[in-house]
Amino acid sequence: MLHYIDTRQGTNNKHSYSNGNTLPYTSVPFGMNHFVVQTNNEGSWFFNPHDRVFQGIRLTHQPSPWMGDFAHFLMTPIADDKIRGSVFSCQSSYRPEEATFKPHYVKVKQQRYNITTELVPTCYGASMQIQYNSKQQAGFVLNVKDKSEFHIDAANRKITGYVSNFAGCHDDQFRMYVSMSFSHDIDLDASGYYNNEGELSNEMTVSGMDQHVVIRFKDCEKGTLNVKLSTSFISIEQAELNLQRELQSSLAELKEQAALAWNHYLNKIQVTHSNEEYLRTFYTCLYRMFLFPQKFYELDANMEPIHYDTTARSVKKGVLYTNNGFWDTYKSVYPLYSIIAPQEYEEMLEGFLNSARETGFLPKWLSPDERGLMPGTLIDAVIADASAKGIGSHLMPELLDAMLNAATTQSEKDCYGRQGTLDYIKYGYVPNHYHESVNHTLDYAYSDYCISRVAEVLGKVDVAEHYRQSALNYKNIFDPETGFMRAKDQNGQFRDHFNDISWGLDYAEGSAWQSSFAVFQDFQGLIEAYGSEERFFDKITELCNKAPDFDVLGYGFEIHEMSEMAAVDFGQVAISNQPSFHIPYLFNYVGKPASSQVVIKQILTHLFNSGFDGFPGDEDNGSMSGWYVFSSMGFYPVCPGSNEYVLGIPLFDSVTIELPDGKHMQIHTDNNNPQSNFVTNVKLEGEEYTKLYITYDDIMEGKSLDFRLGLAPSYRSYEPQELPFSLSKRND
């Protein structure tokens, strides 16, 4: 499926507007490093598909432009004695339309130097093949921001050292070690580093800030230079061990291995459609779901996993993963892993548990260690979903303890655990003197449900019941008069001067419209709080039909999520951001699936594509890609932990999901054409099916699912048991 993928999907961005805020990552699935063509040197937005300047290939660990990078450097082949080391002086024009951007392979020709560079990734490094085609001496520049140290070893044709640069880290001495070998002899007289005046110094050991290391080679004009690169967060010795293990093969052999690694995941879901653009979009989104989280562990001399603990500043045994924001990814990424990658999911859980063992709290946003961003502790949903599905069962007692710790203990450091923990316990909501208090309250209530699910699986009846009750705390901030969740002070009074389109302040990256429906665990209870199904239906219909207006009150300026909502003109749905992912499916909870179906299909066909503007907002570690992958197959995990996937409307004629035990789930869609916006009939295993969800067990048993689409909606009454999961009892 690699032939469908161009990694530049969603890469046309700037800080004020996002078409994905993605980078064209070349890597292996969950690889420790990513490699990206750099086209400009402007902070986090260092690639744009319309730029025609190639500055080099960047080894990067940037999970999002809003997080910044860590352990990064830039590699630029050169064939010119006039350069002065800096990125600007080394850069060259290139033709992006002739370059290759694939998950497993990147190829670029530099017009200035007439150099063609190919790169193939491994888990801990990469192999490069650089073809020089001029009479100028072949060279290679390493540009490193912030602190670094490198030693040029001409006798062994290699360079070793470390970089120490990061957007944030608890260890101010955090390093990544580098070992790089070359196929040609190094010319010591022409190698060294460029100082601030642009003068070449022939020092073989280079250390300091913002270094420009240059290596030139003998007898390589109009020749091929092979470069092997490996990294480690442990030591130089471990980097060289990684190099020896991974890079004994040729570039062509490594390219085939990387392709096989990608196809292992891409082939797990086979989709068909006459419109090839849909296939390109699907498989490019699927590729993005296996980039993060990244491995943050290595294998020692005995092939045992080890990792660097930035809290203790020492090497520890065991696996570890980084670069993941659970506020984003719990909604779609991990529910897909539970279906097609449960073993990897289990290992990730073990890594997250190691994070908790080392810091005292489960992670919220790792990059490389805890950054403490976004409301809630939504890793709870990742744990609960796994627990309910029997994944990582042996880890669950300790994971439950860690969940309970976050629910009851206020950390001395703001980056760990819940904010306002003790006040939430005291009042049943987070008071409004906490920033984004509404989202904190709703996320904590959902996390309490997740705790109850894990406790239930483990047979801890009292714990399960206690947190099942506190999962209803969302009711404490619901205002029946306006139909919104609203911030309260410590006296139980709603904040004055309420404006339903004001973003920020009490809400995270949205207004009351986007934030008031995050009651995944109990939509029936929310419907009852509205007073009737009709009133709830009218409210979410109004949400879809209301103009995409906003007030910048909480931020004081227009943030990019506001701009994106306004631009696509899909009402207040704001599918550009994670808080809205479930909103199109809410009509199912009042037995009105036709409304969900038409909204979902319009989003799928109008707001996603495989091109440079491929997403309606930040893609965020595979989460938005996951929304597309699920929704285009015809179902979506609205409430992770419930073991239910709510039905929507499929985009593809057929879907085949390869399951871990060798079974396959088949999904077929009849009368699938652009004008058919509604599902008129569903069959499960050939039998008429009236429920508006399927279960995890249905999927894992390989039950067939057949949809028939139609031009007009098919109205019928739904029994309560046919509607998706809710904590509250339904009224018959």
Side-chain angles (χ1 to χ4, degrees):
M1 301 304 173
L2 286 169
H3 64 285
Y4 287 123
I5 300 173
D6 186 317
T7 61
R8 291 172 288 185
Q9 179 196 34
T11 57
N12 181 30
N13 308 288
K14 50 187 177 180
H15 75 278
S16 60
Y17 195 88
S18 173
N19 288 299
N21 259 332
T22 61
L23 288 167
Y25 295 119
T26 292
S27 179
V28 296
F30 310 119
M32 196 171 81
N33 305 307
H34 292 156
F35 297 89
V36 169
V37 167
Q38 181 168 309
T39 64
N40 65 71
N41 204 30
E42 299 175 5
S44 294
W45 286 266
F46 52 81
F47 175 84
N48 189 280
H50 298 298
D51 290 342
R52 306 190 74 85
V53 170
F54 173 84
Q55 294 184 335
I57 295 178
R58 180 169 175 147
L59 188 154
T60 175
H61 298 92
Q62 179 170 292
S64 159
W66 309 112
M67 300 301 295
D69 210 344
F70 71 87
H72 58 95
F73 58 83
L74 184 69
M75 302 174 287
T76 311
I78 58 166
D80 190 339
D81 59 6
K82 299 180 179 62
I83 69 141
R84 292 294 177 264
S86 70
V87 173
F88 179 76
S89 71
C90 294
Q91 68 186 29
S92 165
S93 61
Y94 88 113
R95 296 171 183 160
E97 66 275 9
E98 295 178 1
T100 302
F101 289 82
K102 292 291 182 183
H104 68 303
Y105 175 69
V106 64
K107 182 179 180 181
V108 175
K109 181 180 179 181
Q110 295 162 262
Q111 301 300 126
R112 170 182 173 183
Y113 305 117
N114 197 15
I115 297 173
T116 299
T117 299
E118 300 171 86
L119 180 144
V120 171
T122 64
C123 185
Y124 299 111
S127 177
M128 299 174 68
Q129 186 168 284
I130 305 169
Q131 181 66 46
Y132 295 90
N133 297 292
S134 75
K135 295 180 181 180
Q136 297 282 346
Q137 185 176 21
F140 187 91
V141 175
L142 202 61
N143 272 292
V144 187
K145 289 188 177 181
D146 298 326
K147 186 179 180 181
S148 66
E149 180 176 308
F150 285 95
H151 176 68
I152 300 172
D153 181 356
N156 292 301
R157 296 176 171 175
K158 67 190 298 186
I159 179 171
T160 56
Y162 71 83
V163 301
S164 183
N165 49 25
F166 40 83
C169 184
H170 296 315
D171 179 1
D172 59 7
Q173 300 298 315
F174 176 62
R175 297 177 175 182
M176 182 180 72
Y177 299 92
V178 182
S179 179
M180 195 179 303
S181 66
F182 305 95
S183 61
H184 282 65
D185 288 336
I186 296 172
D187 183 351
L188 289 177
D189 293 334
S191 300
Y193 74 98
Y194 286 95
N195 61 25
N196 292 335
E197 287 71 42
E199 299 169 339
L200 179 65
S201 173
N202 291 121
E203 297 289 336
M204 294 302 102
T205 297
V206 181
S207 64
M209 301 293 288
D210 300 331
Q211 292 296 321
H212 313 294
V213 183
V214 62
I215 307 165
R216 289 192 171 91
F217 304 95
K218 298 177 181 178
D219 304 321
C220 196
E221 298 81 2
K222 294 190 176 181
T224 301
L225 177 72
N226 290 299
V227 183
K228 299 293 180 69
L229 158 72
S230 198
T231 66
S232 171
F233 292 108
I234 306 296
S235 65
I236 283 287
E237 293 76 18
Q238 182 67 43
E240 295 186 337
L241 180 59
N242 294 340
L243 187 71
Q244 293 167 16
R245 285 174 174 162
E246 291 193 334
L247 297 163
Q248 298 303 312
S249 303
S250 68
L251 182 134
E253 291 168 333
L254 291 170
K255 182 180 177 183
E256 183 177 359
Q257 292 172 22
L260 287 171
W262 276 112
N263 282 323
H264 170 74
Y265 293 104
L266 297 174
N267 288 334
K268 287 183 180 291
I269 306 179
Q270 305 273 347
V271 298
T272 66
H273 200 282
S274 59
N275 186 340
E276 189 173 295
E277 167 60 15
Y278 290 168
L279 304 182
R280 289 195 295 267
T281 304
F282 181 87
Y283 284 108
T284 309
C285 285
L286 189 58
Y287 134 80
R288 291 205 169 273
M289 298 186 74
F290 297 99
L291 290 166
F292 302 100
Q294 290 178 264
K295 289 182 178 177
F296 201 49
Y297 71 89
E298 301 161 58
L299 301 176
D300 67 13
N302 298 315
M303 297 299 289
E304 295 294 329
I306 55 174
H307 63 269
Y308 184 71
D309 174 2
T310 61
T311 303
R313 303 188 181 190
S314 62
V315 177
K316 299 286 184 65
K317 293 182 179 180
V319 300
L320 201 66
Y321 281 81
T322 191
N323 273 349
N324 213 240
F326 298 99
W327 189 80
D328 302 300
T329 56
Y330 83 89
K331 297 171 181 285
S332 58
V333 174
Y334 293 94
L336 185 75
Y337 293 169
S338 73
I339 297 171
I340 63 174
Q343 288 185 323
E344 293 88 334
Y345 192 170
E346 183 170 310
E347 183 177 278
M348 291 169 191
L349 287 173
E350 185 178 352
F352 304 146
L353 181 55
N354 280 333
S355 290
R357 290 165 175 162
E358 292 164 5
T359 66
F361 286 88
L362 287 163
K364 301 197 301 183
W365 227 123
L366 292 169
S367 184
D369 49 20
E370 184 59 73
R371 301 287 292 277
L373 302 179
M374 307 311 298
T377 52
L378 277 313
I379 192 174
D380 296 331
V382 176
I383 297 167
D385 204 45
S387 178
K389 295 168 179 176
I391 297 169
S393 298
H394 67 289
L395 303 170
M396 288 303 155
E398 192 173 354
L399 284 169
L400 177 60
D401 287 343
M403 296 167 79
L404 290 169
N405 178 59
T408 57
T409 306
Q410 186 68 62
S411 172
E412 295 178 357
K413 296 182 179 179
D414 290 343
C415 63
Y416 293 120
R418 299 182 178 186
Q419 293 185 33
T421 309
L422 301 181
D423 280 343
Y424 173 74
I425 294 171
K426 179 179 180 180
Y427 299 108
Y429 60 89
V430 178
N432 62 11
H433 62 271
Y434 292 95
H435 182 55
E436 301 171 338
S437 65
V438 168
N439 292 80
H440 282 299
T441 298
L442 296 177
D443 287 344
Y444 298 168
Y446 174 54
S447 277
D448 288 349
Y449 160 74
C450 293
I451 291 171
S452 76
R453 288 291 284 139
V454 179
E456 181 182 357
V457 171
L458 294 176
K460 295 183 178 294
V461 177
D462 292 344
V463 174
E465 178 58 27
H466 173 80
Y467 282 94
R468 192 178 297 116
Q469 291 303 313
S470 60
L472 303 177
N473 280 342
Y474 71 88
K475 295 180 180 181
N476 295 332
I477 60 168
F478 179 72
D479 176 11
E481 183 176 340
T482 62
F484 291 110
M485 301 291 175
R486 293 180 56 189
K488 282 183 175 179
D489 62 21
Q490 291 165 293
N491 297 317
Q493 300 300 308
F494 288 121
R495 187 186 295 277
D496 293 335
H497 310 300
F498 176 68
N499 180 354
D500 61 16
I501 62 169
S502 288
W503 282 49
L505 189 60
D506 302 323
Y507 306 99
E509 297 181 358
S511 70
W513 284 102
Q514 292 79 45
S515 301
S516 294
F517 302 94
V519 187
F520 317 109
Q521 71 276 20
D522 193 31
F523 282 115
Q524 183 62 31
L526 180 61
I527 292 164
E528 291 170 0
Y530 268 91
S532 69
E533 291 185 351
E534 290 75 17
R535 190 179 176 207
F536 183 81
F537 174 76
D538 289 344
K539 193 70 172 182
I540 55 178
T541 300
E542 183 185 1
L543 181 153
C544 293
N545 293 334
K546 185 178 175 64
D549 298 329
F550 56 86
D551 189 304
V552 303
L553 173 68
Y555 294 98
F557 57 91
E558 183 171 335
I559 65 173
H560 73 92
E561 289 90 350
M562 300 173 187
S563 306
E564 292 142 17
M565 182 183 73
V568 302
D569 201 11
F570 268 61
Q572 292 285 334
V573 174
I575 203 67
S576 57
N577 207 14
Q578 283 71 22
S580 294
F581 279 7
H582 64 293
I583 287 175
Y585 289 88
L586 291 184
F587 296 98
N588 280 16
Y589 289 83
V590 288
K592 304 289 186 183
S595 293
S596 283
Q597 292 155 14
V598 68
V599 173
I600 292 164
K601 185 159 185 177
Q602 297 310 305
I603 292 172
L604 287 171
T605 56
H606 286 82
L607 300 186
F608 289 82
N609 61 71
S610 67
F612 302 158
D613 301 334
F615 296 98
D618 282 0
E619 197 280 327
D620 286 327
N621 293 168
S623 61
M624 189 173 287
S625 288
W627 188 94
Y628 181 89
V629 166
F630 269 122
S631 296
S632 66
M633 292 193 296
F635 54 95
Y636 178 75
V638 170
C639 183
S642 70
N643 279 3
E644 290 184 0
Y645 293 77
V646 179
L647 294 179
I649 181 169
L651 183 64
F652 295 104
D653 297 332
S654 70
V655 178
T656 301
I657 304 174
E658 179 186 316
L659 303 171
D661 62 358
K663 295 179 182 178
H664 292 80
M665 183 188 186
Q666 305 281 345
I667 303 170
H668 296 285
T669 308
D670 292 330
N671 198 36
N672 186 22
N673 50 55
Q675 62 270 29
S676 294
N677 290 310
F678 304 99
V679 175
T680 60
N681 180 262
V682 179
K683 292 183 178 180
L684 186 69
E685 281 292 276
E687 300 291 332
E688 295 291 330
Y689 191 73
T690 56
K691 293 180 180 180
L692 295 178
Y693 62 91
I694 57 173
T695 67
Y696 179 71
D697 288 343
D698 292 332
I699 296 171
M700 301 311 285
E701 290 171 15
K703 291 183 179 179
S704 63
L705 189 63
D706 297 290
F707 293 86
R708 181 169 179 79
L709 308 189
L711 186 63
S714 178
Y715 291 108
R716 61 177 296 275
S717 297
Y718 289 87
E719 297 296 325
Q721 65 269 20
E722 296 174 325
L723 306 181
F725 165 81
S726 179
L727 270 179
S728 294
K729 292 181 179 180
R730 304 187 189 284
N731 295 318
D732 293 331

